[in-house]
Amino acid sequence: DLPLLVLQNETLGHLAAPGGTRILADLIAQFITLETLPIAVILQGLAVRLASETNPVGEQLAQLTARQVPLLICRESLAELHLECTLKDGRLVSQREIAETLLKAEPIYWL
């Protein structure tokens, strides 16, 4: 089964940006290099800050969407943080759609 990748923060672990964001970008790049593409990537919580082309993870997210991996971006998180999505291939979704996606997926990798 293909994994679902859920990003909840703009960095990996407890590392602060920009270093933690660069390490997150490198980890996502490894999924691409290993040709283990997730069925989808969800950005929620602080990770919606990555829904901009001007961050270190933007290139990797664009590579995933170019390979037909859906990028689902939490609409409620964007609203709560007063942000807008500038990634052209990201799709804004509700918490309901995120919940439905989570219920169908296995395994789920939380980053």
Side-chain angles (χ1 to χ4, degrees):
D1 291 341
L2 296 176
L4 171 65
L5 192 57
V6 181
L7 306 182
Q8 296 182 301
N9 204 331
E10 65 184 316
T11 65
L12 186 62
H14 297 286
L15 294 172
T21 307
R22 283 193 302 268
I23 292 172
L24 177 61
D26 185 55
L27 179 60
I28 294 171
Q30 298 312 311
F31 283 102
I32 297 166
T33 301
L34 294 169
E35 298 181 2
T36 306
L37 300 178
I39 58 165
V41 176
I42 295 175
L43 302 181
Q44 66 179 157
L46 293 177
V48 298
R49 291 179 178 162
L50 302 173
S52 162
E53 294 172 342
T54 58
N55 73 75
V57 184
E59 179 183 335
Q60 287 74 20
L61 295 176
Q63 288 178 22
L64 287 172
T65 58
R67 290 169 171 80
Q68 309 306 312
V69 175
L71 178 61
L72 310 177
I73 302 163
C74 178
R75 184 180 291 123
E76 289 85 354
S77 295
L78 284 170
E80 192 66 33
L81 293 169
H82 307 288
L83 297 172
E84 291 189 23
C85 174
T86 60
L87 284 176
K88 63 179 179 165
D89 293 324
R91 187 163 58 93
L92 300 184
V93 296
S94 67
Q95 290 282 48
R96 171 77 179 226
E97 188 168 347
I98 289 172
E100 290 171 346
T101 304
L102 290 170
L103 289 171
K104 295 176 195 171
E106 189 172 322
I108 300 173
Y109 297 148
W110 298 85
L111 301 177

